[in-house]
Amino acid sequence: MEWGEYKLGDLFEVKSNPQLDKSNFTFSEYGKYPYFTRTIYNNGILGNVDYFDEEHKIQGECIAVGMLSMQFFYMQKDFYAGQFTKRLIPKDFVLNPRRAQFINSLLNKYSELFKSVLVRDFENKFINSNIQLPVKNGSIDFEFMETFIAELEAQRIAELEAQRIAELEAYLTAAGLTDYKLTAEEEEALEKLETVEWKEYNLKALYGSSTRGKRLKSSDRIPGNLPFVTAGEADEGISDFIGNHVHVFKKNTTTIDMFGSAKYRNYDYGGDDHVAVVHTENVPQMAAIFVTTAIHKASHCGQFDYSRNFYAKDADALNILLPQVNGDVDYAFMQTFISAIQKLVIKDVVAYSDRKMAATKQAAGM
């Protein structure tokens, strides 16, 4: 690359930022405007705000700098700022994310130089300092900057993809899920689904009385390793990991929350009073998963909500449809069928992994 020397004062205008005191607003997780301060973390952004004040709002597409750290950050969106911050406005060129990344990496090499002067002397020191930039045909080569940063981004993405795929393959191996070839029995089970005979069964008659969890307020929970199940879909309803002495429900059981949502549990766990536990401990694992789907189909139909919660007594009264043979629940079929479904899913995951790995190697030039 050919490089040329440029005076920073010819490239940027230094402006002081109107200071917005933190006492005038509260931070919001989904706030529209970033609040820039002297922190070196999170691109210099302390948080986001919904506050709107045209007098204090600062136009984006500039470079912001904290006067104590002398670290430079690209601010693409309009923002607010705290004390001891300034901004650099390009004079004869337009900033974009990749140009700013390239230029900031060079400016941040001068941090110690700018720290050596008083804050009030920063502007004079900055505009009279020189920087080396790539040039082409006598002009700053912005195209090279953008291409160079784009290549670095692509390489980093490829590295992350390769890491995720390696972790996926390691998980499949550790879990014993690398064999996804269907047996003759599994192929037969998939074909048999259309002609299987179904029968209605009562949950209590099959698995005994369901059990209700016990309330444990968030403030009373002690950090630990036991999954604690509550109502909700996020994280399969696991709201915490606790160390409290609570009743531990066995793995290979099904929980039904207050809304009638059923989930299979392949681990020991605790549960609050909005969770009913169906005791399928003695059912083969794959068949227990099948039973869970049958329960969910019967219990999660919109009949339970905040005004009418699902409780253990509702589980005891619940009737579900299951495959039957000679009048008995056909656990053998359910076990084989779910095993086949699992292998089909693994096969799709492995195929996806192979495609992504090939694309990753191509992107990385491997």
Side-chain angles (χ1 to χ4, degrees):
M1 256 326 288
E2 183 181 352
W3 295 77
E5 188 167 87
Y6 294 86
K7 182 171 286 190
L8 286 171
D10 293 335
L11 300 174
F12 294 98
E13 180 182 3
V14 180
K15 289 274 193 180
S16 295
N17 292 322
Q19 298 174 9
L20 182 63
D21 194 296
K22 286 190 293 185
S23 62
N24 290 345
F25 63 86
T26 55
F27 289 109
S28 169
E29 183 179 358
Y30 304 104
K32 181 178 180 180
Y33 299 102
Y35 181 73
F36 181 82
T37 64
R38 295 162 286 171
T39 179
I40 62 173
Y41 304 105
N42 192 34
N43 203 45
I45 297 170
L46 186 61
N48 294 307
V49 301
D50 283 319
Y51 181 87
F52 184 79
D53 179 352
E54 195 66 44
E55 180 182 351
H56 290 86
K57 186 162 67 69
I58 305 162
Q59 187 173 349
E61 297 297 348
C62 66
I63 293 174
V65 55
M67 290 291 94
L68 299 186
S69 67
M70 291 301 174
Q71 291 288 310
F72 297 84
F73 301 100
Y74 172 58
M75 302 299 291
Q76 186 173 17
K77 298 168 59 177
D78 292 353
F79 65 101
Y80 293 104
Q83 291 181 316
F84 302 110
T85 66
K86 291 184 182 293
R87 66 188 185 278
L88 313 178
I89 302 173
K91 287 186 173 181
D92 297 316
F93 65 96
V94 176
L95 273 180
N96 61 37
R98 286 174 177 156
R99 291 181 181 183
Q101 273 188 285
F102 193 101
I103 293 172
N104 279 352
S105 67
L106 299 176
L107 289 176
N108 283 323
K109 292 180 181 290
Y110 291 83
S111 290
E112 294 303 319
L113 174 66
F114 297 137
K115 283 181 183 178
S116 68
V117 300
L118 297 174
V119 170
R120 67 188 181 197
D121 297 325
F122 165 76
E123 181 175 349
N124 184 61
K125 186 69 174 177
F126 180 87
I127 63 176
N128 288 296
S129 298
N130 295 327
I131 190 173
Q132 297 280 332
L133 293 175
V135 296
K136 184 177 182 180
N137 299 326
S139 300
I140 298 175
D141 193 350
F142 290 109
E143 182 180 356
F144 169 78
M145 294 184 194
E146 295 182 35
T147 302
F148 182 78
I149 295 297
E151 289 175 354
L152 288 181
E153 289 173 346
Q155 183 178 349
R156 180 57 179 157
I157 291 171
E159 290 172 353
L160 291 173
E161 284 288 352
Q163 179 183 343
R164 283 194 290 266
I165 292 168
E167 290 171 352
L168 170 62
E169 291 175 345
Y171 168 77
L172 292 176
T173 300
L177 300 175
T178 54
D179 177 19
Y180 50 85
K181 183 177 180 181
L182 295 177
T183 65
E185 291 80 8
E186 289 165 344
E187 290 182 349
E188 182 181 354
L190 291 173
E191 296 174 358
K192 185 181 175 182
L193 183 64
E194 297 296 327
T195 58
V196 71
E197 293 185 18
W198 299 84
K199 183 179 177 180
E200 189 173 81
Y201 295 91
N202 174 259
L203 271 188
K204 182 177 180 180
L206 286 177
Y207 311 116
S209 297
S210 297
T211 306
R212 184 179 178 183
K214 188 174 181 180
R215 176 166 298 190
L216 182 64
K217 294 186 296 184
S218 299
S219 57
D220 294 332
R221 296 174 192 171
I222 301 170
N225 298 318
L226 183 71
F228 190 69
V229 178
T230 57
E233 298 301 319
D235 297 320
E236 292 293 294
I238 298 175
S239 63
D240 219 334
F241 288 86
I242 63 171
N244 302 69
H245 292 292
V246 297
H247 180 79
V248 177
F249 297 103
K250 293 182 179 179
K251 63 181 179 181
N252 200 47
T253 52
T254 296
T255 61
I256 312 175
D257 70 16
M258 60 188 285
F259 306 112
S261 181
K263 297 177 180 63
Y264 172 76
R265 309 288 173 183
N266 66 337
Y267 44 81
D268 294 344
Y269 58 95
D272 78 354
D273 59 339
H274 286 129
V275 172
V277 178
V278 182
H279 295 279
T280 54
E281 293 96 328
N282 298 322
V283 177
Q285 182 185 36
M286 298 296 177
I289 295 173
F290 194 111
V291 171
T292 300
T293 63
I295 293 173
H296 186 81
K297 187 173 182 180
S299 61
H300 199 249
C301 303
Q303 69 270 47
F304 299 101
D305 52 31
Y306 284 107
S307 61
R308 186 195 172 194
N309 295 172
F310 187 100
Y311 292 115
K313 61 180 178 60
D314 296 301
D316 291 343
L318 195 67
N319 295 323
I320 62 174
L321 286 173
L322 293 176
Q324 66 92 23
V325 58
N326 299 325
D328 296 324
V329 179
D330 193 352
Y331 288 116
F333 168 77
M334 291 190 283
Q335 179 85 349
T336 306
F337 180 80
I338 294 298
S339 176
I341 294 297
Q342 177 177 261
K343 286 185 177 181
L344 290 176
V345 172
I346 294 169
K347 184 177 180 180
D348 285 344
V349 170
V350 171
Y352 167 82
S353 173
D354 290 342
R355 289 195 303 271
K356 292 294 287 184
M357 180 60 78
T360 296
K361 289 181 177 179
Q362 183 179 3
M366 300 168 62

